[in-house]
Amino acid sequence: MIRFAQTKHQWIIATGFIFFLLLPVTVAAKDVGFQKAEGFLGKAVEPTGIKEGNVNIYVARIIQAGLILVGLAFFVLMVYGGFLWMTARGNEDQITRAKNVIIAATIGITVIVAAAAITNLVVKSAIKVGQQTIES
C-alpha cells in the first residue's frame, strides 16, 4: 500500500495541490455580475497604471508562471525518485521509497493539469455566457 505524505515536503506539495483544486470553487463563490465586476476591476486597476485591457494578460502570465513552477517541481521530484532508485543497490526499502516519490509526483502533476484544464474550461464558459448576457 502506498503511504502518501510521510514527510513535511510531501505535505506541503499535497496542500498546494488541494489549494489549486479548490481555487475555482472559491473564485466562483460570490456572483457580483459582469457589469459590477468590470467597474470594480477598473477602480482596482486604476492606481496601478495598468491599462484596463491588459489585466487578463497579467493574470494569465501569473497562472502560467505557477504552472511552470509546478512542472519544475514535478521534474525535480522525478529526478529525485530516479536517483533514489538508481542508488538503491537492491535495498527494497529505498526502491519502495523511490517508487512512492515517482507515483506521488505523477499523481500530483496529473491533478494539477486536470485542475488547470477544468479551470480554463469553466472560465471560458463563464466569459461566453457573460458576453451573451450582456449582448441580450
Side-chain angles (χ1 to χ4, degrees):
M1 177 153 186
I2 299 172
R3 294 182 188 164
F4 183 69
Q6 292 178 345
T7 65
K8 185 176 181 180
H9 180 66
Q10 289 175 334
W11 273 107
I12 292 170
I13 292 172
T15 304
F17 293 155
I18 291 170
F19 171 77
F20 278 113
L21 283 176
L22 295 178
L23 186 62
V25 174
T26 58
V27 169
K30 185 175 181 184
D31 181 23
V32 294
F34 283 103
Q35 289 81 11
K36 291 180 184 178
E38 287 177 10
F40 173 73
L41 283 175
K43 290 178 186 175
V45 171
E46 188 176 323
T48 64
I50 299 172
K51 294 180 182 177
E52 205 171 313
N54 293 339
V55 174
N56 57 349
I57 294 171
Y58 289 114
V59 170
R61 285 182 183 165
I62 291 170
I63 292 171
Q64 185 180 20
L67 290 174
I68 289 171
L69 289 176
V70 168
L72 182 63
F74 169 73
F75 178 74
V76 168
L77 285 171
M78 290 299 283
V79 169
Y80 175 67
F83 178 78
L84 283 178
W85 200 331
M86 296 299 288
T87 58
R89 297 184 186 176
N91 183 356
E92 290 298 324
D93 291 334
Q94 192 170 353
I95 292 173
T96 303
R97 184 175 170 208
K99 285 180 182 180
N100 288 342
V101 168
I102 291 171
I103 290 170
T106 304
I107 291 171
I109 196 72
T110 304
V111 168
I112 292 297
V113 168
I118 291 169
T119 303
N120 190 20
L121 176 69
V122 169
V123 168
K124 284 185 178 183
S125 297
I127 289 172
K128 187 183 229 183
V129 169
Q131 288 174 345
Q132 290 174 352
T133 304
I134 291 172
E135 290 172 359
S136 305

